[in-house]
Amino acid sequence: MGNHLFIPQNYNPILCRKDTEKAIKLIKDTFELQLTSELRLRRVTAPLIVLQGTGINDDLTGVERKVQFPVKAFDEAKAEVVNSLAKWKRMALVDYEMPEGYGILTDMNALRPDEDLDNTHSIYVDQWDWELCMNNENRTLAFLKKIVEKIYEAIKRTEYVLYENYPQIKPTLPENITFIHAEELLQMYPNLTAKEREDAFAKKHAAYFIIGIGALLTNGEKHDLRSPDYDDWITPNSDGFVGLNGDIMFWNPLLGHALEISSMGIRVNPETLQIQLNMENATDRKELLFHSKLLKGDLPQSIGGGIGQSRLCMFLLKKAHIGEVQSSIWPDDMREECKKNNIVLV
């Protein structure tokens, strides 16, 4: 694995470092208010670490290492830094006694040491993690799209508030977000890789939601990997394909590629969890705390996801590198190359 850096030609940041920090706070405060209003979410406190072996931590694609350490107070049992709060949030819905149609929002901070560092990927990950209680009748593509559109509207309003305060940053997002299934993308661009397909469609439509992340496509491959125990990527939907999950993607003209802003979906129920665990040869997880609760029907049906905080700030502020809006660690050669090209890493 290596580190990759793209330098936009003649790059000059629109805001200085001081104004950038002010604008970051404006974006985060505004978007959080808009999102909680749109989805009826309550702000709650979230963990940075969980105990190993509970099944609560997100396995992402299943191959990434977790940051782990022994804890003296637990007889040296290991704790691990969360990768995301996909499973923890669903359990928290029970703890907070959230009724149907309401949910929770929290700040998630994570460390992912296996990331390939580039303009949009950092070891440090920060995102808004949200989870919303729903009923089984809403396990539909139409409901998924409705929630995506609400999130998109919250982003659009945040973009406008930013423009009101910093008129030199012009809004660029289209009026509506486009929906497409990963299989449709494959059929549209059969000779391109998955990432190249994302870029080609993003350049044309600017903002879209790609459905069905995790399921096998007709070429025998997955568009991208997705853990089998939170999103439902196997249930047939009304567009003739499978999957009740996906990613929000924006075209980033500065970098010339699609930028993933959010990963989200309707969560697995006991039946789809069993199927997806079988498909991924992960049935050993059934005995873990989270999985056993879900299989017994002790957890509510929900929809949820994560929205990248630094990713969104980077996009709206038209920055060339995520390190301009968050503090992390970067290789010396990357810092030097960035500095030479007016990209000041925090």
Side-chain angles (χ1 to χ4, degrees):
M1 290 188 178
N3 304 317
H4 312 281
L5 178 66
F6 175 77
I7 302 293
Q9 193 170 13
N10 301 318
Y11 173 70
N12 277 301
I14 298 174
L15 299 182
C16 67
R17 189 162 177 174
K18 184 172 85 170
D19 286 341
T20 294
E21 292 293 344
K22 292 179 180 179
I24 289 171
K25 187 175 190 312
L26 176 65
I27 290 170
K28 291 187 176 184
D29 289 348
T30 302
F31 179 70
E32 188 170 311
L33 179 62
Q34 295 295 330
L35 188 67
T36 52
S37 298
E38 280 286 348
L39 299 185
R40 296 190 291 190
L41 306 175
R42 176 192 298 172
R43 184 77 160 68
V44 301
T45 302
L48 173 64
I49 53 176
V50 294
L51 283 174
Q52 187 182 61
T54 59
I56 296 174
N57 205 351
D58 182 1
D59 291 300
L60 299 176
T61 66
V63 298
E64 295 89 350
R65 291 177 300 164
K66 301 178 181 71
V67 176
Q68 302 173 343
F69 54 92
V71 181
K72 179 181 177 182
F74 287 87
D75 296 325
E76 301 302 313
K78 285 188 177 179
E80 51 192 33
V81 177
V82 296
N83 274 326
S84 88
L85 299 172
K87 299 167 190 168
W88 177 88
K89 291 177 299 179
R90 198 164 175 184
M91 297 174 68
L93 290 176
V94 177
D95 296 335
Y96 284 100
E97 301 178 340
M98 299 306 298
E100 185 181 304
Y102 293 82
I104 59 174
L105 174 74
T106 189
D107 278 329
M108 190 284 297
N109 296 284
L111 298 174
R112 298 179 183 172
D114 286 337
E115 287 284 9
D116 289 338
L117 304 183
D118 58 23
N119 297 67
T120 61
H121 291 86
S122 170
I123 291 173
Y124 170 63
V125 180
D126 56 342
Q127 65 183 33
W128 290 283
D129 251 325
W130 62 274
E131 200 80 9
L132 178 69
C133 277
M134 53 177 274
N135 60 43
N136 284 319
E137 287 67 40
N138 281 330
R139 289 180 56 78
T140 65
L141 185 59
F143 184 74
L144 174 65
K145 288 181 176 181
K146 177 183 175 182
I147 298 299
V148 170
E149 287 169 345
K150 285 178 177 287
I151 295 170
Y152 187 66
E153 283 303 311
I155 294 174
K156 286 266 296 171
R157 285 196 289 273
T158 303
E159 182 187 45
Y160 179 73
V161 170
L162 179 67
Y163 169 64
E164 284 283 280
N165 285 268
Y166 300 94
Q168 64 270 47
I169 303 179
K170 308 296 183 187
T172 58
L173 288 171
E175 188 64 26
N176 299 303
I177 189 168
T178 301
F179 293 90
I180 189 167
H181 193 279
E183 181 61 39
E184 294 176 295
L185 263 190
L186 174 62
Q187 294 171 8
M188 193 177 294
Y189 306 107
N191 298 318
L192 301 183
T193 66
K195 294 304 178 187
E196 288 170 343
R197 297 195 291 271
E198 290 178 355
D199 291 345
F201 197 77
K203 189 173 184 180
K204 184 176 181 181
H205 293 276
Y208 70 99
F209 185 78
I210 179 170
I211 305 162
I213 306 294
L216 284 177
L217 305 179
T218 53
N219 64 354
E221 300 175 357
K222 299 180 178 185
H223 181 84
D224 203 352
L225 300 177
R226 190 65 58 88
S227 182
D229 45 17
Y230 53 102
D231 283 352
D232 183 337
W233 39 257
I234 198 60
T235 294
N237 60 49
S238 58
D239 64 7
F241 303 110
V242 298
L244 294 172
N245 74 334
D247 294 338
I248 295 176
M249 310 291 293
F250 290 166
W251 173 246
N252 187 323
L254 191 62
L255 302 182
H257 66 69
L259 180 68
E260 179 190 317
I261 293 294
S262 174
S263 171
M264 58 172 287
I266 291 174
R267 305 310 198 184
V268 290
N269 59 19
E271 293 73 30
T272 52
L273 173 63
Q274 182 72 61
I275 294 170
Q276 291 181 181
L277 289 178
N278 288 338
M279 292 178 69
E280 298 299 299
N281 297 313
T283 54
D284 56 317
R285 298 185 192 177
K286 290 192 295 183
E287 306 305 317
L288 298 174
L289 175 65
F290 170 82
H291 303 73
S292 62
K293 280 181 173 290
L294 180 53
L295 290 169
K296 287 189 293 186
D298 292 340
L299 300 180
Q301 179 60 64
S302 65
I303 181 172
I307 302 164
Q309 295 187 15
S310 292
R311 286 271 183 102
L312 184 61
C313 290
M314 175 189 174
F315 175 82
L316 293 179
L317 294 174
K318 306 186 189 313
K319 297 291 189 179
H321 197 289
I322 199 167
E324 294 178 271
V325 297
Q326 67 156 234
S327 181
S328 186
I329 56 174
W330 310 98
D332 289 341
D333 57 346
M334 182 179 285
R335 281 192 175 276
E336 285 301 314
E337 188 66 21
C338 285
K339 187 177 180 180
K340 281 191 245 176
N341 290 277
N342 294 321
I343 302 173
V344 180
L345 303 185
V346 178

